[in-house]
Each structure stands twice: as C-alpha cells, then as structure tokens.
C-alpha cells in the first residue's frame, strides 16, 4: 500500500481556517446564502462566487502573475472544507477552480493563461467539463464528438451530456476526437478544446434532476468553430491530459463532505434531545469521516510535494469509499432521529434530509462510477 | 519522529521476517513461548525504545516504539512486547523505576485491586502473558486514590487462560502481597492518558495485522487459479480486493495520524476515532480475507487465522470502541454551543503527558 503522509496544520493554517469560517458564518447570518447539502453541485450563485473572488479565495494556489496567491494545496484543502461544511453555494466557480485552472497551468499556452485565469480568479468566468456522451459515460475512450481541422481552427460536431451547470457556464473544456477511432489504440486521437458556450451552433438543453432542479445539461454542437488558440496542450494528447487531473478530481473533500450539513444538524438534534445513546451511534460517523479525511489530506499532501505518481490508487479509494460514506448519511440519520424529508420543509433537518436523499444516488456516479474506480484500484493493487 | 526511525524499522522488520514463521507463532498454542525471539529483541534494545537513556533506555521516541509494535503485529510475534514496553513506559512516565526483563500490565479500574500498607490484594482476569512474565504493573485502589504499582508476579497465584487467538490471558490473584513500587495518587486525566496510550499500542498491533492480512490476501488472489485463471481476474473477487485495500489504507493512515498526534501532543480524540473505526475495519477485513481464501483459510494449516483470530481477540481487550464512543458522545454533549465541524477541526494542543 501507498504510505500517505500525515499533515499537521500550521498556526497560520489554523488561523486561515478560522478566518474563512468567520466570513461564512457572517454571510449566513446576513442571509447571503442558506446552507444546503451537496452545495458544490447544486449551489450556484454567481454573486457569491464574485464575493469569494474578491476575497482572493479562487485559484489560491495559482501563480501571482495571474492573480493567484501561490498558497499551498493544504491551504486550498482547508478553504474547500470550510465551504462544504457550511454548505456554501460554490458550484458556479467550482470546476474552473478545481480542474480548468490546473489544466491550463500545466498544458495551456501563455495566452490562454493570461486570458482565462484572472477572470476565473475574480469569480466571473465559469467552466463546464465536457467529457460524457450519451453512449460514453465512464468509458471515455468511446467519445465520438469530433473536431475537423479547418482554416484557423476546428469545426466541432456532436453532443455532450451530464455537463454540470453548463447553463451558467461561459466555456467548456471539451474532449473531442480529432482523428478516427482506432480500435487498437482507443485512447489515441482525443484532444481537449475550450469551446465558447455562447458561440454559434451551441444548444444547451437542461436535464431535469430528480429533485426537479436542473444542474446537468445536454450540450449539442452543430458546426461550432473553435479557433486554434483554444486547443489545450497537444492535439491527440487529450487522454493523457485528462488523466493527469483525475487525482485532483477524485480525492478532494467534496467526495466526503457532500452531506456534512446533515451530519452537523443530526448531531445538534441529538444534543438538543440529550440523547447520549444516539450520540454514541453518531460517533461512528465522526470516526469514519476522520478516517477518510486522513486519506484525503494525505493525497493532497502527496500532490503538493509533486509525488503525483503514487496518487492514482489512493485517490480512487478516496472517491469510492468517500462517496459511499456520504451516501450512507441519510439512512443513518433517519434511524437516529425522526424526520419528514421534504425539499421545502421549514425544519432544517427535514430539508437537509430531503436534499441528501435525492442527491445521494449521484455521489457514486459523478467523476467516475464506483465500478470503474474499483477496476482501477483492483488492477493497481494486484500489479503493485 | 526520530531520525532513527527508518533504520530501526528496517532492522526490526528484517529480524521479524527472518525469525518469525507460522510454526513459531503456533508454539504458544503448545504452551511454550518464543524465548529466542525475545532474547533477540532484547539484545537489540528493542524492548527499551522510548525509554530515556538515564533509565537504561535505547533512545527513540514513542512514534518509533509504536512502529515497532506495529511490526510485531504484522508478524504476530508471539512475545509480550507490547506488555513489557507499555509497562515500562508507564513506569517511567509516573516517575517509577523501569524494570529489567519481562513485564505485563492491567489498566482497567473496574477490576479492583486494593492497596493497603504497601500490600496488594485482589484478582484480575485476562492478564496477558502473566505466566511468562516477572513484573506486573497495574492500577490499584487505595484510601487516597488510584495508584500505579509494580509488583513481582512470583507473589501471585496465576491460573492460565487464553484469548481467541490462544495467546496467554491469565487470572492473577494477590493476597496481601508486597508491592515493589507505588506511584503518587493519579488524577482522572492521568488515568485517561494511560488508557489512551494503551489503546494506541493496541491500534498499532491491529494495524500491523490488517496490513499483513491484506498482503496475504492479494498474494493469494494472484496464486490461486479457478476456472483457468487467477482469481484476481474475477470482478467479484476484485470487489473484495478493493474493499480490503480501502480498509488497509484507512488503517495505515489512521495509525500514522495517531502516532503523529501523540508525538506532537495534539488532541487525543484521534485515538478515540481510530479505535471506533478499527472495530468496523476488523469486521470487514476478517470477513473479506476469509471469503477470498475460501476453504484453505479456515484451516489451522494456513497462516491467515493467526491474524484474523488475533484481531477478533484484540478488539475486545482494553478500552474498546464502546468505551471511546462514550467519550466522544460525552464531549459532544459538553460542547453544547459548538457545531460538529468546530469540534472536529479543533486541533488545540492537549498534552496527554502523564
């Protein structure tokens, strides 16, 4: 097994955590947002994202010359935890902060970085991730949206699906096929293009989620022109570039804390009832959370120290185990306290329960289904 | 973490690998014990790691010692290593003399040894290795409170018993026996700190055993063929492999975190969380590993049971998950104004020094 490093937060980091928390509590008190479960997917609020941008809390690890603060991965980890634990509406800028920025820093051109990163950092420019297609979910090698070379750029035709928040996004990093499918080398011929979602030929159709809200979308491309300067990295290298981001996507606190607001309210409820036996049961949740958090922070520390080679397995484990954990919370909760879950409930725990129950099926799907992750881990463990 | 750590651990792991095999682990079931292995550990000073040099210690710190304990768990070393080292660590921490030779201990306050005029009376059950050890370090009640005492086991009546793994767990009776050393009366916090340490030592042992079970199981899935291919190629077996790998990764990370926390005097809740979580891990790890090993793993012939039986035994010894869940529940109630998140992320320094 991979030995993950332990992390002891510095005094400055503890101070930073309290600073972020105080800000969020103040905003909750002002009514800026109502804490909810799964806020990194379902809580999009562009004015809140701009507020976060003004605080300098988007892209905090990025170079100063683009407006970042060159702070550590651990600082970002703390920030992310505080957002999720308080159920803050961070979905609008989430994917740009987590994936697009690091992608451009690693593979983008200088022009792309100077154009996009400062806007992302201000909380004014949102990205979607265009990976899945109707017949290509976890099996991304079968992507069939294609881009053909034309004068000065590429012409994109095809369809993406399950793009979170595409309806509020400005751009989408889109995985497309730039050369014909080769059955012998399924991962070849894929490229990443930044598609302007306001361009001609784009149609975005919302998909109604089982809560009645629309977070996911279908995105259709009909002869959409993408100029050459919007190709990310090398043509044909899309698969390798995408893989490099997976450890960041899979190992973060968002794979553990999606239902944290419900856990917190459960504990408050048990405390109000003076229910020691219930709290003893609930201590198991705390213990599981602590165990997963150790893994997740350990992966963050490995990424920080540049030891990215060993993170694929623990990162996949964090996602597989973490999402199973966050998915289990509504069931544990309902066995410990009586609730009447409805989305418009006045009682906080009833509303958080409803959000958790209805969002939970997605946890173990988005970002790679558990089944696919199990395959990754099993192969890795056996060949180690 | 001391700089010696990697070097010490390399030496210990090699020593255990070369000297501990299934037959050796089996000998305690024949009523004998591994005196050669103990001598080897003693000659290399492993029994006095984390004891100060003034007291004849070999240097190193608590994290080094816990890592050695982890390795003794990984090889199911049939010697009272945790007992001797923890007994001596407790003696030193309470300003008593460390002892030479084998020792064992008992920290439960509900098993009433009474100390009167420097003499100990009472009976305790499930005392590890008592029949093979010389010194007994235990909590005892007296008129002015609870003390840590050290007493010679030759004064005791010992009735042999065993735990689920056939490790010696004896009944020890004293009748007005003269103790060798007595600590000052202990505060509630000091006794809690001792319990925390005891649990940390047990977690180290458990981590080693879980790690080993994972290794044995993965290896087995590569060697064992059914229907014409190694069983790790079957998706349903892969699910077992992943669940086992996850439990192992969580256990190893948890162990590293508690040793780091103890070394740096971070809040001691980490031991509580780990102990609660390990009880679930043990259940999963034992079930999965036996299922994957199938019939052969249920035989005495195979080494798997040397680890699964130990885990089943150890999870019911000392302060168990229920004890620690009570501690956590009480703390949650006491922090009435605080959110769970504040409680969880509060990393204020809380020394567990005795």
């Amino acid at each position: 097994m991979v030995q993950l490093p332990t992390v002891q937060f510095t005094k400055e980091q503890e101070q930073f955590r309290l600073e972020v928390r105080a800000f969020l509590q103040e905003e909750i008190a002002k009514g800026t947002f109502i804490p909810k479960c799964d806020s990194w997917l379902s809580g999009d609020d562009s004015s809140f994202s701009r507020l976060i941008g003004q605080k300098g809390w988007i892209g905090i690890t990025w170079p100063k010359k683009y407006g970042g603060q060159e702070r550590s991965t651990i600082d970002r980890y703390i920030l992310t935890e505080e957002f999720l634990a308080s159920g803050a509406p961070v979905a609008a800028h989430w994917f740009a902060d987590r994936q697009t920025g690091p992608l451009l820093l690693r593979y983008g051109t200088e022009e792309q970085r100077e154009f996009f990163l400062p806007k992302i950092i201000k909380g004014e420019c949102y990205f979607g991730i265009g990976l899945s297609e109707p017949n290509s979910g976890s099996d991304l090698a079968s992507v069939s949206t294609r881009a053909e070379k034309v004068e000065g750029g590429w012409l994109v035709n095809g369809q993406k699906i399950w793009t979170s928040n595409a309806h509020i996004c400005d751009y989408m990093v889109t995985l497309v096929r730039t050369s014909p499918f080769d059955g012998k080398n399924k991962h070849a011929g894929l490229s990443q293009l930044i598609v302007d979602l306001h361009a001609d030929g784009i149609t975005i159709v919302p998909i109604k989620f089982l809560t009645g809200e629309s977070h996911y979308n279908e995105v259709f491309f009909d002869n959409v022109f993408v100029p050459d300067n919007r190709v990310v990295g090398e043509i044909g290298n899309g698969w390798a570039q995408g893989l490099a981001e997976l450890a960041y996507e899979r190992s973060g606190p968002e794979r553990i804390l999606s239902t944290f607001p419900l856990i917190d309210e459960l504990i408050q409820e048990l405390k109000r009832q003076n229910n020691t036996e219930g709290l003893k049961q609930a201590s198991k949740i705390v213990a599981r959370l602590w165990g997963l958090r150790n893994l997740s922070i350990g992966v963050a520390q490995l990424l920080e120290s540049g030891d990215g080679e060993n993170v694929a397995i623990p990162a996949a484990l964090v996602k597989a185990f973490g999402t199973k954990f966050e998915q289990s919370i509504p069931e544990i909760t309902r066995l410990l306290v009586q609730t009447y879950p409805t989305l418009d409930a006045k009682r906080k725990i009833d509303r958080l329960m409803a959000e958790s129950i209805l969002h939970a099926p997605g946890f173990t799907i988005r970002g790679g289904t558990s089944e696919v992750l199990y395959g990754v881990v099993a192969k890795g463990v056996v060949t180690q | 973490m001391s700089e010696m750590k990697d070097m010490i651990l390399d030496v210990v792991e090699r020593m255990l690998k070369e000297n501990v095999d299934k037959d050796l682990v089996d000998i305690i079931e024949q009523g004998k014990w591994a005196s050669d292995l103990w001598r080897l550990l003693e000659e290399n000073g492993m029994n006095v790691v984390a004891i100060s040099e003034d007291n004849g210690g070999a240097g190193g710190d608590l994290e080094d010692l816990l890592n050695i304990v982890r390795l003794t768990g990984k090889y199911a070393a049939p010697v009272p290593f945790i007992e001797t080292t923890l007994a001596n660590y407790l003696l030193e921490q309470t300003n008593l003399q460390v002892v030479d030779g084998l020792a064992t201990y008992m920290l439960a306050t509900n098993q009433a040894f009474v100390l009167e005029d420097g003499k100990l009376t009472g009976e305790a059950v499930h005392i590890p290795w008592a029949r093979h050890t010389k010194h007994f370090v235990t909590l005892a009640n007296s008129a002015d409170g609870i003390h840590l005492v050290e007493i010679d086991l030759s004064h005791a009546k010992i009735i042999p018993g065993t735990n689920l793994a056939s490790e010696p767990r004896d009944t020890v009776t004293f009748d007005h026996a003269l103790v060798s050393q007595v600590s000052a009366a202990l505060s509630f916090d000091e006794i809690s700190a001792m319990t925390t340490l005891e649990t940390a030592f047990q977690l180290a042992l458990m981590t080693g055993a879980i790690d080993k079970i994972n290794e044995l199981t993965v290896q087995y899935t590569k060697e064992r063929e059914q229907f014409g291919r190694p069983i790790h190629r079957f998706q349903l077996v892969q699910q077992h492999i992943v669940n086992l790998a996850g439990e192992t990764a969580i256990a190893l990370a948890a162990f590293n975190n508690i040793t780091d926390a103890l070394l740096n005097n971070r809040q001691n809740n980490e031991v509580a969380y780990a102990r609660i979580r390990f009880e679930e891990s043990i259940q999963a790890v034992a079930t999965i590993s036996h299922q994957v090993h199938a019939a052969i793993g249920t035989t005495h012939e195979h080494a798997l049971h040397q680890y699964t039986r130990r885990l089943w035994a150890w999870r019911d010894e000392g302060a168990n998950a229920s004890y620690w869940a009570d501690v956590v529940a009480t703390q949650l109630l006491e922090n009435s104004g605080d959110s769970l998140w504040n409680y969880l992320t509060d990393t204020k320094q809380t020394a567990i020094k005795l």
Side-chain angles (χ1 to χ4, degrees):
Chain A
M1 283 311 305
V2 177
Q3 280 285 347
L4 294 171
T6 58
V7 173
Q8 193 173 354
F9 297 117
T10 63
K11 280 207 165 54
E12 290 73 26
Q13 286 166 339
E14 296 290 357
Q15 197 48 47
F16 179 52
R17 183 186 286 288
L18 296 180
E19 184 196 333
V20 177
R21 187 176 301 170
F23 165 79
L24 291 168
Q25 277 165 0
E26 205 173 300
E27 294 305 315
I28 293 172
K30 274 196 247 168
T32 310
F33 69 91
I34 296 168
K36 63 188 294 190
C37 285
D38 208 18
S39 64
W40 66 276
L41 179 80
S42 64
D44 63 86
D45 178 346
S46 55
S47 59
F48 187 73
S49 284
R50 279 195 289 274
L51 193 58
I52 294 297
Q54 281 163 20
K55 299 290 290 182
W57 289 345
I58 300 175
I60 65 165
T61 62
W62 305 350
K64 286 185 176 154
K65 66 172 169 168
Y66 308 117
Q69 298 190 47
E70 298 181 12
R71 294 176 72 148
S72 72
T73 306
I74 301 302
D75 286 341
R76 181 176 180 277
Y77 194 96
I78 289 168
L79 183 64
T80 310
E81 278 193 323
E82 291 300 319
F83 285 157
L84 297 172
S86 68
V90 287
H93 66 265
W94 189 268
F95 300 93
D97 179 82
R98 184 178 73 183
Q99 270 154 287
T100 314
L103 177 74
L104 294 181
L105 285 168
R106 183 152 179 194
Y107 294 106
T109 63
E110 193 52 36
E111 185 271 335
Q112 288 168 349
R113 292 176 192 156
E114 283 174 2
F115 183 78
F116 290 111
L117 297 185
K119 290 191 184 69
I120 293 174
I121 280 168
K122 284 188 193 127
E124 294 169 354
C125 177
Y126 312 135
F127 274 78
I129 306 294
L131 293 172
S132 295
E133 296 182 6
N135 292 309
S136 174
S138 292
D139 175 19
L140 286 177
S142 66
V143 155
S144 67
T145 294
R146 63 191 192 282
E148 272 172 275
K149 189 73 190 92
V150 293
E151 175 77 33
W154 297 79
L155 217 49
V156 181
N157 280 286
Q159 178 193 355
K160 291 288 170 183
I161 194 169
W162 311 128
T163 302
S164 301
N165 300 314
H167 59 299
I168 56 159
C169 286
D170 306 289
Y171 298 93
M172 178 159 84
V173 176
T174 314
L175 188 69
V176 297
R177 193 158 282 294
T178 41
S179 47
F181 182 76
D182 173 359
K184 287 196 186 101
N185 189 0
K186 290 190 289 188
H187 299 153
L190 292 167
S191 305
Q192 288 178 300
L193 307 182
I194 298 174
V195 177
D196 182 343
L197 290 176
H198 305 298
D200 289 341
I202 299 267
T203 310
I204 297 173
V205 179
I207 301 168
K208 209 164 167 183
F209 190 59
L210 44 70
T211 56
E213 306 155 292
S214 303
H215 314 295
Y216 297 124
N217 298 270
E218 288 182 282
V219 181
F220 296 90
F221 307 88
D222 179 14
N223 284 323
V224 177
F225 178 73
V226 178
D228 281 327
N229 67 352
R230 291 295 169 257
V231 173
V232 182
E234 282 172 45
I235 286 294
N237 194 38
W239 182 261
Q241 291 171 198
L243 276 189
E245 303 309 318
L246 284 181
Y248 288 96
E249 185 184 342
R250 290 179 173 165
S251 64
E254 68 268 34
R255 304 303 183 177
I256 303 170
L257 294 177
S258 298
T259 46
F260 187 83
L262 176 60
I263 303 176
D264 210 356
E265 188 58 21
L266 166 67
I267 301 286
Q268 296 309 325
E269 189 67 31
L270 291 169
K271 280 159 68 167
R272 283 192 286 267
Q273 296 171 6
N274 218 16
N275 184 345
T276 314
E277 201 42 51
L279 286 167
K280 274 186 77 172
Q281 289 300 318
S283 74
K284 291 181 189 166
I285 302 176
V286 178
R288 285 176 205 149
L289 173 56
W290 174 79
L292 289 163
R293 187 173 178 235
N294 289 337
L295 275 193
S296 175
I297 298 178
V299 174
Q301 181 64 33
L302 273 189
L303 290 169
E304 168 81 8
S305 58
D307 188 3
E309 280 171 32
N310 288 321
V311 299
I313 295 174
L317 277 175
V318 169
K319 180 173 185 308
F321 273 60
T323 53
K324 198 157 98 182
F325 164 77
E326 53 184 16
Q327 199 168 55
S328 72
I329 299 305
E331 183 60 18
I332 296 170
T333 302
R334 64 181 291 281
L335 295 177
L336 292 176
V337 296
Q338 175 96 55
T339 67
Y340 301 93
T342 40
L343 286 168
D344 56 1
K346 286 204 176 66
R347 189 170 164 237
K348 192 174 176 188
I349 197 161
D350 291 340
R351 178 175 55 78
L352 294 171
M353 264 298 272
E355 289 165 2
S356 297
I357 291 170
L358 297 176
H359 281 259
F363 301 162
T364 49
I365 297 170
R366 59 192 185 196
T369 62
S370 297
E371 289 73 12
V372 165
L373 297 169
Y374 268 52
V376 169
V377 175
K379 282 199 189 85
V381 166
V382 169
T383 54
Q384 245 176 12
Chain B
M1 191 181 305
S2 88
E3 286 170 17
M4 293 162 66
K5 186 185 164 202
D6 286 345
M7 197 186 71
I8 295 176
L9 295 187
D10 272 357
V11 170
V12 177
E13 178 132 36
R14 212 173 326 118
M15 201 186 297
L16 293 172
K17 213 176 213 164
E18 284 168 11
N19 292 286
V20 184
D21 57 10
K22 177 170 183 296
D23 290 345
L24 186 78
V25 180
D26 276 345
I27 73 161
I28 57 165
E29 306 203 18
Q30 299 149 17
K32 295 182 248 169
W33 83 292
S35 48
D36 289 351
L37 176 63
W38 181 258
R39 198 173 312 122
L40 194 63
L41 288 166
E42 229 174 24
E43 279 167 11
N44 285 278
M46 295 309 158
N47 59 322
V48 282
V49 168
I51 297 294
S52 68
E53 285 172 26
D54 293 346
N55 284 324
D61 56 31
L62 189 59
E63 191 169 9
D64 298 323
L65 177 54
L66 286 169
N67 272 288
I68 298 171
V69 170
R70 174 175 60 78
L71 290 172
T72 64
K74 187 172 174 183
Y75 291 89
V79 285
F81 186 80
I82 172 172
E83 290 77 13
T84 301
T85 53
L86 180 55
N88 267 331
Y89 194 80
L90 294 173
L91 289 173
E92 175 160 67
Q93 295 294 314
T94 42
N95 300 315
L96 299 179
Q97 286 294 312
V98 301
V99 293
D100 214 13
L102 294 158
T104 188
Y105 71 93
M106 202 254 341
L107 290 180
T109 48
N110 56 356
Q111 301 206 26
F113 278 121
V114 175
L115 181 68
E116 213 173 16
D117 298 332
K119 289 178 179 158
L120 194 68
T121 301
E123 181 175 281
V125 295
H126 310 309
I127 304 303
W129 300 91
R131 73 191 87 149
H132 295 295
T133 52
K134 184 172 181 341
H135 305 277
F136 185 46
V137 171
T138 184
L139 294 176
N141 298 300
S142 81
D144 68 331
I146 297 175
H147 304 257
L148 194 73
V149 303
E150 185 252 306
I151 185 168
D152 201 311
L153 275 166
S154 61
H155 302 328
K157 188 176 102 185
I158 297 173
I159 301 169
T162 56
N163 67 10
L164 257 188
S166 304
E167 292 179 302
R169 294 293 187 266
D170 304 335
T171 299
V172 171
T173 311
F174 290 101
D175 182 13
H176 293 92
L178 195 62
V179 303
S180 306
Q181 303 186 68
V182 184
S183 78
L186 300 167
S187 68
F188 174 78
D189 286 347
E190 285 170 324
I191 294 169
S192 300
M194 288 183 180
T195 305
T196 301
L197 276 173
E198 179 193 25
T199 301
F201 274 65
Q202 290 175 320
L203 288 165
L205 269 184
M206 293 172 180
T207 302
I210 290 170
D211 192 14
K212 179 64 166 217
I213 289 173
N214 181 55
E215 273 184 28
L216 284 172
T217 308
V218 172
Q219 191 58 33
Y220 185 76
T221 66
K222 294 198 242 185
E223 289 163 0
R224 173 73 169 157
E225 292 194 2
Q226 288 279 267
F227 307 104
R229 49 185 177 153
I231 61 171
H232 73 76
R233 300 264 301 277
F234 295 91
Q235 275 193 355
L236 291 171
V237 175
Q238 289 181 351
Q239 288 217 11
H240 289 314
I241 294 173
V242 175
N243 286 325
L244 192 53
E247 294 295 341
T248 308
I250 287 168
L252 285 168
F255 169 73
N256 287 337
N257 271 280
I258 57 170
T259 51
D260 193 64
L262 288 174
L263 198 73
N264 294 296
N265 292 328
R266 282 210 307 279
Q267 57 174 6
N268 60 13
N269 288 336
E270 309 223 10
V271 168
Y273 304 151
R275 187 62 183 80
I276 295 166
R277 182 65 184 81
F278 270 48
E279 207 146 296
E280 297 180 337
S281 276
I282 288 168
Q283 166 62 12
V285 163
T287 306
I288 294 167
S289 60
H290 274 291
Q291 185 65 22
V292 172
H293 277 84
I296 192 70
T298 64
T299 64
H300 200 272
E301 205 52 35
H302 199 277
L304 180 63
H305 70 87
Q306 293 185 328
Y307 300 95
T308 53
R309 283 201 295 150
R310 275 172 174 70
L311 287 177
W312 285 319
W314 294 341
R315 68 181 175 177
D316 291 318
E317 296 179 347
N320 63 10
S322 180
Y323 169 92
W324 287 111
D326 225 17
V327 170
V328 172
T330 306
Q331 286 184 7
L332 284 170
L333 270 179
E334 281 167 1
N335 294 314
S336 57
D338 248 359
S339 74
L340 174 64
W341 190 246
N342 288 2
Y343 169 77
L344 255 177
T345 55
D346 180 6
T347 51
K348 66 176 179 288
Q349 303 277 308
T350 314
I352 71 140
K353 281 250 181 294
L354 303 173

